[in-house]
């Protein structure tokens, strides 16, 4: 098991399936894992229209590989954190949407990885934790930016100060996950969502992934201006033209009210 690739990759139609494959260590993220993840992410951006990240076994991810981390000199820890930032940024601000399927532990760096994805699905076994305080360290995979913005710095601080774990229902209320599904069905749901997102025009998806979070960080005035430019750019594509025409010619399905939630 130790010598097999720690990340699995499979193209299922237009969807790249990327698995954390180190269940004997609860998918803890070592340097080897993060580099293999990077290769899989880049490959997915080249050949897929959306991707799903999932963890093999009963836990999504136990976070940073603490055994490896212990051996690192100070500069190695800083560079390692910066490397995670670049790789996770490749997910969050790339060209294709990423869904993530969560079960069991979604802890530390595992939660940070999930926070870099765009569609988060948790099953009923999922629990979220940020035990960095207990381990004498701090988040280093972008959590202080992404998780703090998702659930609020105050809730994140509470999790880090107390070491409490949070269940999926509470995390949904807090905005950390978008979907909670029955045990064992998160992967199926994440794939369904990825397939839906893959049907959008690529330029629309690019704008959703890249313009939306940047606009959030701008002043209202700059945000509205950037929105107009992005909107004009997306509208100018032949694909937009065809999709608008298809609607007007009644060749596309109409929106419907949601099923009971
Ligand atoms: C690990 C890791 C790890 C498990 N690094 N080896 N993350 C944490 O502080 C979470 C630490 N892990 C846990 O709390 C538990 O392992 C779990 C709740 C996730 C799962 O419990 P359990 O009982 O199913 O498994 P286990 O027996 O604890 O672990 C199985 C093996 O995985 C064991 O190794 P073994 O050689 O004794 O079999 C564990 O040592 C190993 N293992 N988690 C290394 N994290 C970029 S900064 C981000 C900072 C962080 O992520 S901090 C949070 C770190």
């Amino acid at each position: 098991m130790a010598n097999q690739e720690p990340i699995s990759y499979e193209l299922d139609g237009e969807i790249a399936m990327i698995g954390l494959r180190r269940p004997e260590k609860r998918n803890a993220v070592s340097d080897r894992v993060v580099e293999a993840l990077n290769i899989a992410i880049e490959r997915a951006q080249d050949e897929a229209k959306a991707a799903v990240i999932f963890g093999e076994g009963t836990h999504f991810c136990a976070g940073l590989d603490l055994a490896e981390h212990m051996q690192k000199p100070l500069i190695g820890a800083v560079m390692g954190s910066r490397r995670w930032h670049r790789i996770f940024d490749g997910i969050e601000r790339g060209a294709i949407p990423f869904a993530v399927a969560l079960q069991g532990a979604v802890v530390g760096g595992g939660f940070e990885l999930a926070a870099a994805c765009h569609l988060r699905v948790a099953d009923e076994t999922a629990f979220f934790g940020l035990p960095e305080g207990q381990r004498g360290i701090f988040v280093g995979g972008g959590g202080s930016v992404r998780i703090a913005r998702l659930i609020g710095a105050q809730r994140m601080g509470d999790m880090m100060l107390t070491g409490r774990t949070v269940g999926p229902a509470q995390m949904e209320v807090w905005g950390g996950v978008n979907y909670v599904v029955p045990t064992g069905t998160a992967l199926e749901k994440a794939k369904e969502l990825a397939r839906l997102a893959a049907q959008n025009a690529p330029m629309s998806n690019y704008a959703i992934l890249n313009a939306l979070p940047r606009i959030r960080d701008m002043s209202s005035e700059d945000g509205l201006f950037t929105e107009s430019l992005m909107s004009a750019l997306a509208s100018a594509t032949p694909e937009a033209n065809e999709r608008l025409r298809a609607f007007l010619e009644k060749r596309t399905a109409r929106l419907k009210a949601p099923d009971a939630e």
Side-chain angles (χ1 to χ4, degrees):
M1 204 75 151
N3 289 326
Q4 89 174 353
E5 276 304 308
I7 295 289
S8 63
Y9 182 94
E10 189 194 337
L11 192 62
D12 181 353
E14 296 179 327
I15 311 299
M17 302 297 298
I18 299 174
L20 305 176
R21 187 164 59 180
R22 211 188 167 206
E24 73 285 2
K25 295 287 180 189
R26 308 305 182 253
N27 297 321
V29 181
S30 61
D31 287 348
R32 204 167 151 248
V33 170
V34 85
E35 292 309 325
L37 182 62
N38 188 37
I39 292 169
I41 290 163
E42 287 187 353
R43 188 168 162 197
Q45 311 263 7
D46 282 344
E47 63 185 20
K49 288 204 169 154
V52 175
I53 295 181
F54 63 97
E56 290 190 5
T58 48
H59 297 282
F60 171 67
C61 177
L64 178 69
D65 186 317
L66 297 172
E68 186 179 78
H69 185 70
M70 266 193 78
Q71 308 301 324
K72 288 193 173 170
L74 182 58
I75 188 68
V78 175
M79 297 307 284
S81 166
R82 297 300 290 152
R83 185 83 184 126
W84 281 44
H85 288 165
R86 282 196 294 279
I87 293 171
F88 288 7
D89 207 49
I91 298 174
E92 189 185 33
R93 307 279 169 97
I96 61 168
F98 281 76
V100 64
L102 306 169
Q103 81 284 0
V106 184
V107 169
F111 192 5
E112 293 180 296
L113 171 59
C117 297
H118 309 101
L119 296 159
R120 278 170 291 280
V121 183
D123 84 6
E124 284 160 356
T125 68
F127 61 92
F128 299 78
L130 292 166
E132 282 82 353
Q134 294 160 295
R135 307 280 176 259
I137 58 176
F138 190 62
V139 283
S144 57
V145 172
R146 294 195 185 93
I147 297 174
R149 282 171 197 206
L150 272 180
I151 67 172
Q154 171 273 127
R155 289 186 181 122
M156 182 179 175
D158 174 344
M159 289 179 74
M160 293 187 74
L161 286 170
T162 62
R164 71 189 273 205
T165 56
V166 175
Q170 181 69 71
M171 192 48 79
E172 187 182 21
V173 172
W174 283 5
V177 293
N178 317 65
Y179 303 86
V180 179
V181 295
T183 301
T185 66
L187 185 55
E188 191 187 315
K189 181 72 179 176
K191 217 165 159 181
E192 176 195 322
L193 298 172
R195 284 209 184 95
L196 285 173
Q199 289 167 26
N200 293 338
M203 187 55 101
S204 298
N205 277 348
Y206 187 81
I208 294 163
L209 271 45
N210 288 277
L212 203 52
R214 285 185 173 85
I215 290 171
R216 177 200 53 200
D217 293 342
M218 292 176 186
S219 66
S220 300
E221 181 59 28
D222 290 345
L224 293 174
F225 182 70
T226 306
E227 180 187 90
S228 296
L229 297 182
M230 191 68 245
S231 175
L233 191 63
S235 303
T237 57
E239 183 141 20
N241 194 287
E242 163 50 24
R243 284 169 181 251
L244 295 171
R245 193 181 299 279
F247 174 79
L248 294 171
E249 292 171 359
K250 304 197 187 303
R251 287 187 278 118
T252 49
R254 266 34 196 169
L255 295 182
K256 284 189 288 206
D259 297 333
E261 284 167 7

